[in-house]
Amino acid sequence: MRALVDIPDQQVAELAAICETRKISRAEVIRLAISSYLEKHRVTEGEAFGIWKSTKEDGLAYQNRVRSEW
């Protein structure tokens, strides 16, 4: 995939320095940066969104507990 991205001049200069030092292309450095970002921010199987995110109680156990009140 190709992408058009606006990068500030200062960051482009720093990126060029990294590329020159490591003897790798700008594209490779950007791919490595994206891989690192994705690894750091990956949602794991145990994570959830919504009301169950912060609870440790099993959903079925909660349902049975609430229904027992009826």
Side-chain angles (χ1 to χ4, degrees), residues 4-27:
L4 179 62
V5 180
D6 291 324
I7 301 173
D9 292 338
Q10 178 61 35
Q11 289 180 342
V12 172
E14 291 180 44
L15 185 60
I18 291 169
C19 293
E20 188 175 324
T21 301
R22 294 179 141 206
K23 304 290 188 230
I24 56 178
S25 69
R26 184 185 304 176

Side-chain angles (χ1 to χ4, degrees), residues 3-60:
L4 179 62
V5 180
D6 291 324
I7 301 173
D9 292 338
Q10 178 61 35
Q11 289 180 342
V12 172
E14 291 180 44
L15 185 60
I18 291 169
C19 293
E20 188 175 324
T21 301
R22 294 179 141 206
K23 304 290 188 230
I24 56 178
S25 69
R26 184 185 304 176
E28 182 62 17
V29 172
I30 292 171
R31 283 190 292 268
L32 290 170
I34 291 171
S35 292
S36 176
Y37 182 89
L38 291 174
E39 184 66 32
K40 183 177 179 181
H41 294 88
R42 181 169 286 131
V43 176
T44 61
E45 186 177 318
E47 294 180 17
F49 300 98
I51 66 169
W52 296 108
K53 183 176 182 177
S54 61
T55 185
K56 301 296 182 198
E57 184 175 15
D58 176 66
L60 184 57

